[in-house]
Amino acid sequence: MGIYGLDRIFDPESIAVIGASNNPESVGWAVMKNLIEGGFPGPVFPVNPKYEKVWDRQCFGNISEIDEKIDLAVIAVPIAAVPEVIRRCGERGVGGVVVLSAGGRETGAEGRRLEEEILEEARKYSVRIIGPNCLGIIVPHGKLNASFAAATPPSGGMAFISQSGAICTAVLDLAMAEGFGFSYFVSIGSMADVDFADLIDYLGNIPRVTSILLYVESIPNMRKFMSACRAVSRLKPIIALKAGKSPAGARAAASHTGAMAGEDVLYNAAFWRAGVHRVQTIGELFDCAELLGKQPRPRGSSLAIITNAGGPGVMAADALADMGFEPAKLEPETLQKLNEVLPSQWSHNNPIDILGDASPQRYLETIQICLRAPEIDGIVVILTPQAMTDPTAVAESIAREIGYAAKPILAVWMGGRNVQLGCDILNRANIPTYETPERAIESFIYLYKQQLQLKVIQQIPPRLNRSLAFDRAKARELIENSMNEFAGVMGEIEAKELLDAYGIPVNPTHLARSAEEARLIAQDLGFPVVMKIASPDILHKTEAGGVRVDVRSPEEVVGVFDEIVASARSRNPSARIDGVSVQKMIKKADCEVLIGAKHDPLFGPAVLFGMGGIYTEIIRDRAVTFPPLNRGLARELMEKTKVFKILSGFRNLPRADIEALEELLIRFSQLLTDFPQVAEVDMNPLFIVNGKPLVVDARVILQPSSVPSPWHLIISPYPEEWEVRGTTSGGLEVFVRPIRPEDAPLLVELFHVLSPTSIYYRFFRPLKELSEDMLVRFTQVDYDREIALVAMDASSAGERMLGVARVISDPDGKRAEFSVLIGDPWQGRGVGAMLLSRCLVIAKRRGIKEVWGTVLRENRGMLALAKKLNFSTKFSIDLGECEVVIDLEKTPLPEKEYFGD
């Protein structure tokens, strides 16, 4: 069902209310009331066989009796009747339904069965469903209130999506009290069909939506959610409150990594990676909602604090410090301007204490100076009711004179009845009000961090200094053997062999099955050595007395072997003991870190990095992210930990080779990408020796996977299967591959060989440079929804990009737009044909039905290419443009040439 089927739900021309009623205590009555009294501009048809009229309108026995077109049906009948109602709606040509009825999956097995039946009927007729078990939907600018909520909020730019109807009603009540509005207000219910990802995709494409707020209880398809958020969060902020943070929901895990990567930690990591900013409480969500609904987003963290009392100003500065920030440092020019309007006793610093007798004029002039100061990104205005300060007059002055400012202004009117009228005035002027300085500061910083978050995750990553190679065949053999012979538990030796196959540096380890064999191995390695119990049933060796370090002689090796085995048997008599591992002792490590992974049913594999050693679970210094990784993402993961400060060179400790650690994380990420069977991994400790990482101990737990690679990931990885080498029709040897984030410098080089005409043909306007935002957009693609291929010069000693082609699908995956850009020196030599035909083959395999593009009429080369590839062409005389379209279902493409099947 196409995502754009939602148009008939959120922008309907006509509505049927099935279950409409004259009973004021019923849901059907409330929905009719909201639609009619709310002024919905189209016809509203009540449907209920019990009545002849509802709200003075003819009532129909069933939807089939209505002759006119119906876009949306709102269903308020017992849920057992809903499947039949959906069938009739589908037969009648209804585009979408909002199912208010409760009693679905939340009630158990029978409810789940009913929801499956509802969805089955809807899919037969391509009917989209909001709900069931929801409050309904509200679109204030369309005068659409298809809900049983008590009120319709004002129109605004913010969209709100909630799984909880109770949270919806609370937010609505707040909106009415504080005067901020919404563009769309959606109670999503149990998400039988339309889910968060569908709505984020839909709302992200609507210009009037400026921000999106989410109340989340669960996310059924995390990969789909991540894809939607990563696309939309680039354009508009997404703020989420996720309920259910308690550790009671975390499953017991067998490794350090599993114990340290609970569900809530994974949600944090997923939101961060998707560009979604998470708040922790309903109060924070309300505060962010009010700020987003009324003020521009912060461009920086430099905040001016204006106050008529010293104490609240200090409280605001302390709140900033608690969040890792400081008030803006006032420039001399700003200080001079403030000196000209403020009494000599003012604070001469930020917080700007304008004294207890501050008049409305003094407040206003101070705000205006701060708005003009380039070093200030936002303003918190604090007022405490004092004998010589009138809260209402100050609010009136600000509301009248300031209006809409380019920087966010937040008001803290502290007190009760004496300040309420002033708060009302400010709220009507779209200036958010807060009861305490701390809440205002937190709201500002939360929204600034969302901006900062996007910059961090979208930074252009540096390239590695060498290409990476992996022995996938050896890794596959090791995994299959362990799954067959050892029930999926890899001991230290097998685990290190697996890591070594992916180029991860390990301290070689050998298994001794007897004391004598241990002695010979130790003599061969050289003393001192480390000896550890080798048992799949003993996870934490130290606690079992299964580790001895600094073993220095053959005789000591023999004795230690017996001691370790005896201690292990005493601790766990039923444990399978394979012997004792022996490895060369690393005498001194600069630092110990932990790198690990855990496979979660919802999130797939998660990568963990943090402080290593035996106290890792106590110290709990760790950060989590998800594959795939590049150097930028690997560095960002490490920077979130305290141990990174040590790795960066703390006091007299040498600096670690950070690039080597980045490469190790990338290699590890690729291992997790290639093999969904990897359930848990512990590399603990991982020593830093002379700056280089070395895995000293490792353990891997494997489980069968029903999901093939790469569909076990929540972020689409680099698709190697798209790579192909060939010769163009013009004789150029090229390597065609997907674009990578690291390709930004190569794309800049390609842009610089373009003529002004080529630039105009591609971008439809003159362009001197590619901005950083454009480079991020063009190179950091979601491979699930965008096919972006580059042609590399295979004959060049270095890397040189000859051209780029991309096909970007609509969220429904049925229709897509293409573009092609070829450097001037290589135009007319078959590069564009090779790239675009390859893109079309991949698009067809993905189920895309139609690909289109807009071409300027004078771009004869592109029109010739479109004709060659069997596009049809539609000319627009007025615009001077052509639309070229290809029907992939009817057009044969050279699939065997590229995929060999």
Side-chain angles (χ1 to χ4, degrees):
M1 299 182 206
I3 185 70
Y4 291 114
L6 297 182
D7 284 338
R8 295 182 69 186
I9 292 179
F10 292 105
D11 189 20
E13 294 181 3
S14 56
I15 301 174
V17 179
I18 302 172
S21 172
N22 286 325
N23 179 359
E25 296 181 358
S26 70
V27 170
W29 182 89
V31 174
M32 289 293 297
K33 175 180 183 293
N34 283 333
L35 286 169
I36 294 169
E37 292 188 349
F40 178 70
V44 177
F45 303 103
V47 178
N48 193 329
K50 295 181 180 179
Y51 301 100
E52 291 186 4
K53 284 192 174 184
V54 172
W55 278 83
D56 291 328
R57 297 178 183 228
Q58 178 188 353
C59 191
F60 297 86
N62 64 68
I63 197 169
S64 305
E65 298 175 5
I66 304 172
D67 294 330
E68 297 184 46
K69 172 190 172 185
I70 303 168
D71 289 314
L72 172 65
V74 182
I75 300 176
V77 300
I79 196 165
V82 172
E84 174 63 17
V85 171
I86 296 287
R87 183 185 66 77
R88 290 186 177 184
C89 287
E91 292 174 346
R92 185 63 185 74
V94 173
V97 299
V98 176
V99 181
L100 308 179
S101 318
R105 70 182 68 176
E106 72 275 9
T107 63
E110 177 59 18
R112 283 193 295 272
R113 185 195 66 77
L114 280 169
E115 282 198 16
E116 290 170 2
E117 192 176 340
I118 290 168
L119 189 56
E120 182 181 351
E121 291 294 336
R123 283 176 171 161
K124 289 179 184 177
Y125 302 97
S126 297
V127 175
R128 300 308 307 267
I129 300 174
I130 301 285
N133 191 24
C134 70
L135 184 74
I137 63 170
I138 305 174
V139 184
H141 64 269
K143 299 185 182 301
L144 169 64
N145 186 342
S147 79
F148 57 96
T152 300
S155 180
M158 183 167 46
F160 183 74
I161 311 169
S162 172
Q163 279 181 281
S164 165
I167 296 297
C168 282
T169 56
V171 171
L172 276 176
D173 192 56
L174 176 78
M176 302 302 291
E178 298 293 328
F180 60 87
F182 296 93
S183 53
Y184 293 83
F185 197 93
V186 185
S187 171
I188 201 170
S190 56
M191 300 185 293
D193 173 29
V194 175
D195 60 13
F196 281 111
D198 293 327
L199 289 170
I200 290 167
D201 263 325
Y202 178 76
L203 298 171
N205 283 285
I206 296 177
R208 74 165 59 244
V209 175
T210 57
S211 58
I212 301 173
L213 269 70
L214 312 175
Y215 175 81
V216 179
E217 293 175 354
S218 63
I219 298 173
N221 187 330
M222 185 57 70
R223 180 162 173 151
K224 181 182 174 187
F225 175 83
M226 294 288 286
S227 179
C229 289
R230 291 174 70 212
V232 173
S233 64
R234 299 171 185 263
L235 308 173
K236 49 195 74 176
I238 304 175
I239 311 294
L241 172 63
K242 168 66 178 70
K245 304 194 301 179
S246 68
R251 297 174 306 281
S255 66
H256 292 293
T257 301
M260 295 171 67
E263 183 183 76
D264 198 56
V265 172
L266 297 179
Y267 266 108
N268 277 338
F271 286 147
W272 173 271
R273 189 75 174 270
V276 176
H277 190 76
R278 182 179 186 181
V279 294
Q280 300 300 321
T281 67
I282 191 67
E284 291 170 1
L285 183 69
F286 285 179
D287 289 344
C288 285
E290 185 171 7
L291 182 52
L292 278 171
K294 294 180 176 179
Q295 293 287 304
R297 284 179 275 168
R299 297 181 180 178
S301 63
S302 297
L303 196 60
I305 302 166
I306 301 172
T307 178
N308 70 336
V314 173
M315 293 164 60
D318 286 346
L320 267 178
D322 289 343
M323 300 187 79
F325 297 89
E326 295 181 354
K329 183 179 180 181
L330 302 180
E331 296 293 335
E333 183 180 354
T334 303
L335 289 168
Q336 177 60 35
K337 291 179 178 178
L338 290 170
N339 284 332
E340 293 171 2
V341 301
L342 295 179
S344 60
Q345 300 93 338
W346 80 279
S347 60
H348 297 275
N349 208 334
N350 188 12
I352 303 169
D353 186 349
I354 62 175
L355 307 179
D357 61 348
S359 65
Q361 185 65 21
R362 191 184 299 172
Y363 263 103
L364 182 60
E365 290 176 341
T366 305
I367 293 170
Q368 290 172 332
I369 290 170
C370 291
L371 284 173
R372 291 191 292 266
E375 71 271 23
I376 293 172
D377 300 310
I379 303 170
V380 169
V381 184
I382 303 174
L383 181 144
T384 59
Q386 300 185 37
M388 293 175 287
T389 298
D390 183 345
T392 302
V394 173
E396 288 175 338
S397 175
I398 294 172
R400 182 177 61 251
E401 300 295 335
I402 297 300
Y404 183 83
K407 300 174 183 178
I409 299 175
L410 299 80
V412 181
W413 259 226
M414 301 181 69
R417 286 181 299 175
N418 288 341
V419 301
Q420 186 57 53
L421 182 55
C423 290
D424 293 341
I425 292 167
L426 291 168
N427 282 323
R428 287 196 297 270
N430 280 328
I431 295 173
T433 59
Y434 301 87
E435 295 174 352
T436 66
E438 292 88 349
R439 287 181 64 176
I441 295 294
E442 286 172 358
S443 298
F444 177 87
I445 293 300
Y446 271 131
L447 295 191
Y448 165 69
K449 283 185 174 181
Q450 198 270 342
Q451 300 289 97
L452 185 65
Q453 173 183 351
L454 289 180
K455 289 182 180 179
V456 170
I457 63 177
Q458 292 178 7
Q459 63 185 333
I460 297 171
R463 304 177 74 85
L464 285 168
N465 291 323
R466 57 174 178 164
S467 60
L468 303 183
F470 312 102
D471 191 344
R472 291 183 171 91
K474 180 181 178 182
R476 185 173 292 104
E477 181 182 355
L478 287 165
I479 287 173
E480 289 175 354
N481 288 343
S482 291
M483 295 280 285
N484 294 332
E485 298 180 19
F486 304 112
V489 178
M490 278 188 163
E492 180 181 4
I493 294 172
E494 295 83 6
K496 285 183 173 178
E497 288 181 10
L498 177 63
L499 298 174
D500 180 66
Y502 270 68
I504 296 171
V506 299
N507 189 23
T509 303
H510 306 273
L511 179 65
R513 300 186 183 278
S514 67
E516 176 60 20
E517 190 176 359
R519 182 182 67 81
L520 294 173
I521 292 171
Q523 286 180 320
D524 185 51
L525 290 174
F527 293 98
V529 296
V530 175
M531 301 175 66
K532 305 176 190 176
I533 192 68
S535 169
D537 301 318
I538 299 176
L539 299 176
H540 303 310
K541 304 180 186 74
T542 301
E543 289 90 329
V547 179
R548 296 289 192 279
V549 300
D550 202 22
V551 182
R552 292 182 168 271
S553 69
E555 295 77 18
E556 190 177 0
V557 167
V558 173
V560 166
F561 184 97
D562 294 335
E563 291 173 12
I564 286 177
V565 172
S567 177
R569 290 196 186 283
S570 173
R571 183 65 175 260
N572 188 348
S574 62
R576 190 190 85 197
I577 295 176
D578 298 327
V580 172
S581 68
V582 184
Q583 60 185 288
K584 181 74 176 175
M585 180 176 172
I586 308 300
K587 295 183 179 179
K588 184 180 179 182
D590 302 329
C591 185
E592 294 184 25
V593 300
L594 159 69
I595 294 179
K598 168 192 173 182
H599 188 282
D600 182 270
L602 177 63
F603 295 92
V607 178
L608 182 142
F609 178 90
M611 176 76 78
I614 61 175
Y615 302 116
T616 183
E617 289 184 45
I618 297 174
I619 298 172
R620 298 187 70 81
D621 173 37
R622 80 285 187 268
V624 175
T625 192
F626 302 97
L629 296 180
N630 55 42
R631 282 189 64 186
L633 293 170
R635 169 70 71 97
E636 185 260 330
L637 173 69
M638 293 188 286
E639 286 176 343
K640 287 183 175 179
T641 63
K642 296 182 178 68
V643 74
F644 184 76
K645 295 179 181 178
I646 299 174
L647 296 171
S648 300
F650 182 73
R651 294 186 177 177
N652 61 339
L653 292 175
R655 177 181 170 84
D657 186 338
I658 301 300
E659 183 175 346
L661 279 166
E662 291 168 356
E663 180 182 324
L664 189 153
L665 285 165
I666 293 169
R667 289 181 177 276
F668 184 46
S669 165
Q670 189 63 49
L671 172 64
L672 300 174
T673 297
D674 291 342
F675 294 102
Q677 303 95 315
V678 177
E680 289 191 22
V681 180
D682 257 352
M683 291 181 268
N684 182 35
L686 187 151
F687 282 0
I688 307 298
V689 182
N690 298 323
K692 301 292 184 181
L694 184 70
V695 177
V696 176
D697 199 358
R699 185 177 189 83
V700 175
I701 298 174
L702 306 169
Q703 291 179 354
S705 175
S706 59
V707 181
S709 174
W711 297 103
H712 65 302
L713 304 181
I714 61 171
I715 300 172
S716 178
Y718 176 85
E720 288 187 14
E721 66 273 15
W722 294 358
E723 295 179 348
V724 65
R725 294 182 181 272
T727 304
T728 70
S729 58
L732 292 174
E733 297 292 328
V734 296
F735 173 41
V736 176
R737 62 164 174 81
I739 201 163
R740 296 189 180 105
E742 297 89 343
D743 286 333
L746 298 177
L747 189 58
V748 171
E749 292 175 9
L750 172 63
F751 183 82
H752 286 156
V753 304
L754 297 172
S755 66
T757 300
S758 294
I759 292 172
Y760 188 78
Y761 284 168
R762 169 60 181 87
F763 298 100
F764 289 43
R765 60 189 174 96
L767 201 63
K768 292 184 177 180
E769 294 289 342
L770 293 175
S771 68
E772 184 168 338
D773 286 345
M774 295 175 75
L775 287 171
V776 168
R777 171 67 191 87
F778 292 152
T779 59
Q780 297 186 23
V781 304
D782 183 345
Y783 299 114
D784 275 349
R785 58 176 66 202
E786 184 168 347
I787 303 162
L789 300 180
V790 295
M792 307 300 294
D793 186 352
S795 64
S796 174
E799 285 196 296
R800 182 167 62 183
M801 189 182 292
L802 309 183
V804 188
R806 62 185 76 229
V807 170
I808 305 173
S809 72
D810 291 342
D812 64 359
K814 302 303 180 186
R815 198 166 187 263
E817 182 180 8
F818 82 91
S819 65
V820 179
L821 178 67
I822 308 298
D824 282 58
W826 309 288
Q827 291 178 9
R829 303 187 63 181
V831 178
M834 177 176 280
L835 282 172
L836 184 53
S837 60
R838 173 76 167 155
C839 284
L840 294 176
V841 167
I842 297 169
K844 185 172 184 177
R845 289 207 156 202
R846 287 192 158 190
I848 293 173
K849 299 181 183 299
E850 183 179 88
V851 175
W852 67 278
T854 302
V855 183
L856 293 173
R857 292 187 66 141
E858 59 266 35
N859 189 353
R860 298 182 183 277
M862 189 65 246
L863 291 174
L865 174 59
K867 183 178 180 181
K868 178 180 178 180
L869 296 179
N870 297 314
F871 282 78
S872 61
T873 303
K874 299 176 183 178
F875 291 94
S876 171
I877 298 175
D878 296 335
L879 299 177
E881 298 173 354
C882 310
E883 183 178 89
V884 295
V885 181
I886 185 169
D887 185 335
L888 295 182
E889 291 185 305
K890 298 178 181 178
T891 306
L893 294 171
E895 296 185 61
K896 290 186 178 180
E897 177 182 337
Y898 294 124
F899 290 98
D901 56 4

